[in-house]
Amino acid sequence: MQSQVIVIGGGPVGMFLACELAEYGVRTLVVEAENAVSGRPKATTLHARTVQCLVRRGHLGGLLDVGAPGAAGRVSSPFHFAGIPGLAVSAPASEPEPILKCPQDELERSFERRARAAGARILRGHRAVEVRQDTTGVQVTVDGPGGRTHCTADYLVGADGARSTVREQAGITSRTYPATVSAMAGDVRLDDPDALRPGWHRTPRGWIVAKDAPGGVTRLRTLNCEGAHGARHQPLTLGELRREVAYIAGRDIAMTSPRWLSRFSDFSRLADSYRAGRILLAGDAAHLHFPIGGQGLSTGLLDAVGLGWKLAFTVLGTAGEGLLDTYDRERRPAAQRVIDNTRAQLAVMRPDPGLDPLRALFAELLAGGGESALLGAMISAQDTVLPARTAAASPWEGRFLYNVALTTREGRTDVIGLLRAGRPLLLLFGEPGGSRLEQAGERYEQLRVVHAEPVPELACDALLVRPDGYIAWAPGGEDLRSALSAYLGGGTRDGDPVASVSAG
């Protein structure tokens, strides 16, 4: 079975990546062990930068409203830091609301439908048991209902979760942080719903987070900071959960009808590389952290956003030299930042009375506004600035281009609308450089060139924007030719030099 890319793991990260690749015309195969999308409660939070990127790729339709292009001001969503309320996650009013609450299984189904519609082949009920690679491609041995199958491809992506077979067999090592706490989760029916109301409950012995769930049940999360559970890989029972809740709460809380019981901890992992030859990692296969702040799903999807177009361009032969290597350089630091901030939050959450002044200080800072903006940008990944690819970068390079209204030769549009095709975008404001910039656009077939009237928000003559919404080039640094070559290679017309723009 021959493909161009095999994705091992059909969760939200793997399915979104398959959707991206297939829509670029890459022959894509997804191998997923489960026969259907699991209804088990998982992540429900998508943070601002992830929402912004997904909207630019035409996802999330019907799940949210996008602000009016050019709308002034900012919109905010309330959140928390280390269980302390008062954090405000904000974004420009021209963008979607900063936090989207959506069950993970709903996203998975949406991504899978779109991946199938784009031509991706999805093998459910199949498990990858062996992964090998050589200089020409990858080979995967798959066990399924019909027996053993051998698949080959140019590249392989492991999106197969925390216990990744792909990571292990590719020989990719990791930096790990051992577990120091014990946590439990489950849906239960409380005999007396008033015995534990929805919210974050801190006691001298730990935390209980309670949330109303469909069907009149309560979704519980517990945190015990006295140490890692000795049998944390064993199935959790209702009796254990009830005893843990009673210990933390200081009173017995009767509960029945358990569902989806599980254990977790603060064990964290970061792969030492997201790439080994023709094998790449994404999502939990690459990074794992304590699930405070709802950052896991967003971080994994941003991996897929950053990898999808780079891998597609590489497979299709339209990528600049070394473009695929930038995936690791951009996404590993982002994952390290998430690991660090979740460990910091957990440190603040530990029920040590000596930390009470620190918690009080955080509460005061969050209420003040300024520090809330800094922490909100970190939690939502809106503080991400990518490393420059050109030698003398403009201050714009690596920053995210927020949505602005544009008037083009075809009429009114905005940044979100122009990026939905997944092509790099060269915005020309007025007539900067005349035919020279048009020449650059003609040379690269995958580049979309758009002439727009100048806008006050973008005080520059031109911008080169990546498919993920980040700025690849702007006047003030190296010339346009260097940026185009870095991202798109040599172009399509041999011997025809790419025109450049003055750095001034």
Side-chain angles (χ1 to χ4, degrees), residues 202-206 247-248 351-353:
R202 182 173 67 87
T203 79
R205 292 165 295 282
Y247 169 72
I248 296 173
D352 178 352

Side-chain angles (χ1 to χ4, degrees), residues 236-251:
L236 176 66
T237 67
L238 176 64
E240 287 179 279
L241 178 61
R242 180 171 178 170
R243 288 193 294 273
E244 186 79 333
V245 170
Y247 169 72
I248 296 173
R251 66 186 190 282

Side-chain angles (χ1 to χ4, degrees), residues 260-404:
W260 317 119
L261 300 183
S262 64
R263 309 178 194 272
F264 60 100
S265 73
D266 60 331
F267 174 83
S268 301
R269 176 197 301 275
L270 180 62
D272 291 327
S273 175
Y274 282 15
R275 181 183 181 188
R278 292 177 175 269
I279 296 176
L280 301 108
L281 301 178
D284 288 351
H287 47 77
L288 190 68
H289 58 84
F290 184 63
I292 184 70
Q295 300 171 80
L297 176 59
S298 290
T299 305
L301 287 174
L302 286 176
D303 291 345
V305 167
L307 176 59
W309 64 277
K310 295 175 183 177
L311 183 54
F313 287 10
T314 300
V315 169
L316 298 174
T318 59
E321 183 179 356
L323 179 64
L324 192 55
D325 289 327
T326 65
Y327 169 60
D328 176 271
R329 291 198 293 269
E330 292 175 0
R331 293 306 304 157
R332 283 188 68 253
Q336 182 69 67
R337 187 156 173 79
V338 173
I339 291 172
D340 291 345
N341 86 58
T342 54
R343 295 179 71 216
Q345 291 186 70
L346 181 57
V348 175
M349 294 176 72
R350 294 183 185 275
D352 178 352
L355 294 174
D356 287 344
L358 179 62
R359 283 185 280 268
L361 176 61
F362 265 101
E364 185 177 345
L365 292 174
L366 291 175
E371 288 73 14
S372 179
L374 186 151
L375 294 175
M378 178 183 67
I379 296 293
S380 62
Q382 291 183 102
D383 63 350
T384 300
V385 177
L386 303 179
R389 289 216 71 203
T390 57
S394 158
W396 294 76
E397 188 173 336
R399 298 186 179 277
F400 192 74
L401 179 60
Y402 284 109
N403 195 32
V404 295

Side-chain angles (χ1 to χ4, degrees), residues 470-487:
Y470 283 88
I471 296 171
W473 171 89
E478 203 162 0
D479 61 22
L480 176 61
R481 174 180 181 174
S482 298
L484 288 169
S485 178
Y487 283 96

Side-chain angles (χ1 to χ4, degrees), residues 193-217:
D194 291 329
L196 190 62
R197 301 305 301 165
W200 291 66
H201 305 275
R202 182 173 67 87
T203 79
R205 292 165 295 282
W207 289 79
I208 302 172
V209 182
K211 178 183 177 182
D212 289 336
V217 301

